[in-house]
Amino acid sequence: MSKILWGGATASSQYEGGFDGEKGMDTQDCRPYLPRTSNATTETRLLTKKVIDKAKDENSDLFYPFRKGSRGVDFLEEDIELLAEMGIDLYRFSISWSRLFPNGDELTPNEAGVEYYDRVFKLLKEKNIKIFLTMNHYAVPLNIVEKYDGWKNKETINLYMRFSEYVLTRWGEYVEYFLPFNEINAGYFSPYNGVGLVKEEDGNYSFTDVFQSLHHQFVSSAKTIKLAREMGIKGTFGSMISCFCYYPLTPKPEDNLKLVQDEQVNQWFCMDVLSKGEYPYYMTPFFKKNDVVLDITEEEMQLLKDYTCDFVSFSYYSSSISTTDEDGKQTAGNLVVTTKNPYLKASEWGWQIDPVGLRTTLNKVYDRYQKPVIISENGFGANDVLEADGSIHDPYRIDYFEQHFAEILKGKEDGVDVRAYIAWGIIDIVSAGSCEMAKRYGVVYVDADSEGNGDYKRYKKDSFTWYKNFIEEQKKG
């Protein structure tokens, strides 16, 4: 087996900034920062028309952090120098759809956006850093949501393919790994982020709308792979889900059955379609129970079968508990909540720290799909402190890395074909879960707070040196 590539990641909406006059408004630009409350994560990821209208109001009294991100557009050269100094093998980033096509339905791209990404690809090539390109990381041009109803509309497939074709044509030669959609199962548990669906004021989503939207993303993924193969693109194409590593709360048979069902719908469904090329058996009774009726053609089903992904990837931050007991104490997770695990410690944000769960997930994913596996997101969000001398001491992150990397290497020894590990938010970015800068993942500190105050200067954390040394040791071995 080949050596594991060690990398880092950002996402355009959380990192770039450069909003005013340089890109169109997208779905992430409408998400406000709210001081941390028990409902902040829900209120900032399940948006209604009322919330979006306020975001479009120039006189809104709220701060919209994704419009600034980490000001990556301004610090691009410095940031890539830092990545090169760290010695990472692989950098995962995403293209902003609305930076290339501000409204999402233009016939030709925005030249300022093209010039920016030309710089990104050129600089990474000069530093010999391999590229893992996320073609769409949640952010959808707002015009597509308002004019076309987001991914619910089949026409959005055509708009995405225009965007996709341009990206493949102009930058396809630079890319090692392509990912058409980030955490595609988020369309189910976070429909605004995942598929651009606006929540009704009464709080309900239509399951038919959610799964029809997901189907349109499945078709777009297959069409993108088909197009790339016809174009002779050399890179490989993957799919990605958010993984939660479920455990039953008790040995009670009902809890274990609940675990199987939670995994099927929340975790495996999207990857089953994209990796195996067909809808899994367990969705038939689920659709029947929830009155889901989908518009799917035979031609689309053939596309899914003919153009499956080459590799599978997943995000993993913490494990989850499945139980039929509705009275269990809840804690937070990656855009979801779960029952607390009494055997695990948790981060300040309630995410349960479980390194062994990562090894478990690697084995489960590889056993199920038998394709190369990439850990496309993992990391530790914390409230880091910039000291007066410019240092940032983050032993908790180093400890998190040490424990999780040890389990990845054990997973490799188990026989899992692990191709890469990508540390999330390698440079501090706005958190997608809570819309704040305070929840930092990076090994590079960005001097800005959750309300956009600060000079955004970059500082190396202790974990920067630790990760650099770890990568050097892996290359020797």
Side-chain angles (χ1 to χ4, degrees), residues 127-186:
K127 299 298 181 183
N128 293 313
I129 298 173
K130 292 181 171 62
I131 293 171
F132 181 119
L133 183 67
T134 310
M135 299 177 74
N136 183 230
H137 195 123
Y138 290 161
V140 176
L142 188 62
N143 177 62
I144 291 179
V145 172
E146 297 188 318
K147 184 176 177 181
Y148 300 92
D149 287 328
W151 279 100
K152 183 170 69 172
N153 190 338
K154 192 167 286 195
E155 178 59 26
T156 302
I157 298 174
N158 297 327
L159 300 177
Y160 177 85
M161 290 310 299
R162 186 181 301 157
F163 160 78
S164 175
E165 182 174 7
Y166 188 85
V167 171
L168 292 174
T169 302
R170 190 161 188 107
W171 301 299
E173 64 183 291
Y174 293 95
V175 180
E176 192 93 5
Y177 300 101
F178 291 91
L179 179 67
F181 295 98
N182 173 69
E183 289 183 331
I184 194 165
N185 55 331

Side-chain angles (χ1 to χ4, degrees), residues 4-299:
I4 297 172
L5 299 173
W6 299 92
T10 61
S12 58
S13 61
Q14 296 163 260
Y15 167 75
E16 289 177 357
F19 173 75
D20 293 328
E22 293 186 30
K23 66 183 282 291
M25 185 177 285
D26 63 36
T27 47
Q28 300 299 292
D29 294 322
C30 299
R31 299 178 64 201
Y33 164 69
L34 298 176
R36 208 183 312 166
T37 68
S38 59
N39 296 321
T41 299
T42 300
E43 290 174 11
T44 58
R45 70 177 176 89
L46 302 175
L47 271 60
T48 64
K49 184 178 184 301
K50 186 176 178 181
V51 174
I52 292 171
D53 286 344
K54 182 166 186 174
K56 291 162 61 180
D57 183 353
E58 294 180 0
N59 298 314
S60 173
D61 57 350
L62 296 176
F63 174 61
Y64 296 90
F66 296 100
R67 300 180 191 185
K68 267 196 168 182
S70 303
R71 285 183 53 196
V73 168
D74 301 321
F75 287 84
L76 178 65
E77 284 78 6
E78 179 181 342
D79 287 345
I80 292 180
E81 284 290 341
L82 285 165
L83 297 178
E85 181 185 342
M86 204 185 312
I88 64 170
D89 302 301
L90 184 67
Y91 179 46
R92 178 187 172 205
F93 67 97
S94 65
I95 299 281
S96 166
W97 191 346
S98 63
R99 192 176 296 282
L100 273 191
F101 295 90
N103 292 312
D105 57 3
E106 293 91 346
L107 296 178
T108 56
N110 167 30
E111 277 307 311
V114 173
E115 289 169 9
Y116 170 70
Y117 289 115
D118 279 346
R119 283 167 56 211
V120 177
F121 285 100
K122 180 174 176 286
L123 288 166
L124 289 168
K125 184 175 183 180
E126 287 174 356
K127 299 298 181 183
N128 293 313
I129 298 173
K130 292 181 171 62
I131 293 171
F132 181 119
L133 183 67
T134 310
M135 299 177 74
N136 183 230
H137 195 123
Y138 290 161
V140 176
L142 188 62
N143 177 62
I144 291 179
V145 172
E146 297 188 318
K147 184 176 177 181
Y148 300 92
D149 287 328
W151 279 100
K152 183 170 69 172
N153 190 338
K154 192 167 286 195
E155 178 59 26
T156 302
I157 298 174
N158 297 327
L159 300 177
Y160 177 85
M161 290 310 299
R162 186 181 301 157
F163 160 78
S164 175
E165 182 174 7
Y166 188 85
V167 171
L168 292 174
T169 302
R170 190 161 188 107
W171 301 299
E173 64 183 291
Y174 293 95
V175 180
E176 192 93 5
Y177 300 101
F178 291 91
L179 179 67
F181 295 98
N182 173 69
E183 289 183 331
I184 194 165
N185 55 331
Y188 174 56
F189 58 80
S190 188
Y192 178 79
N193 283 338
V195 290
L197 289 182
V198 178
K199 185 168 73 80
E200 297 295 333
E201 296 296 338
D202 65 5
N204 294 322
Y205 278 104
S206 156
F207 267 16
T208 293
D209 288 348
V210 166
F211 286 97
Q212 188 67 62
S213 299
L214 281 170
H215 176 73
H216 292 156
Q217 288 191 341
F218 299 156
V219 172
S220 297
S221 178
K223 282 193 163 195
T224 298
I225 295 170
K226 179 177 186 288
L227 176 63
R229 289 179 181 163
E230 290 170 350
M231 292 171 65
I233 299 287
K234 292 179 181 177
T236 58
F237 282 76
S239 54
M240 177 188 173
I241 53 173
S242 180
C243 279
F244 307 107
C245 190
Y246 291 96
Y247 305 130
L249 181 63
T250 71
K252 190 169 62 173
E254 289 82 1
D255 278 357
N256 199 63
L257 177 61
K258 180 74 160 49
L259 179 155
V260 171
Q261 293 170 336
D262 284 345
E263 278 192 334
Q264 285 176 336
V265 180
N266 295 347
Q267 187 166 278
W268 301 134
F269 161 57
C270 294
M271 189 73 86
D272 281 353
V273 175
L274 295 175
S275 184
K276 298 179 179 181
E278 58 187 21
Y279 273 67
Y281 73 92
Y282 53 81
M283 293 307 291
T284 300
F286 178 89
F287 287 158
K288 185 176 180 181
K289 179 182 176 182
N290 292 284
D291 299 320
V292 175
V293 179
L294 301 180
D295 175 16
I296 300 177
T297 67
E298 289 184 17
E299 180 187 8

Side-chain angles (χ1 to χ4, degrees), residues 1 34 60 143 218 228 238 316 340 364 380 384 466 473:
M1 282 190 189
L34 298 176
S60 173
N143 177 62
F218 299 156
Y316 173 84
K340 282 191 175 180
K364 281 189 170 186
F380 187 74
D384 301 322
W466 186 90
E473 287 300 314

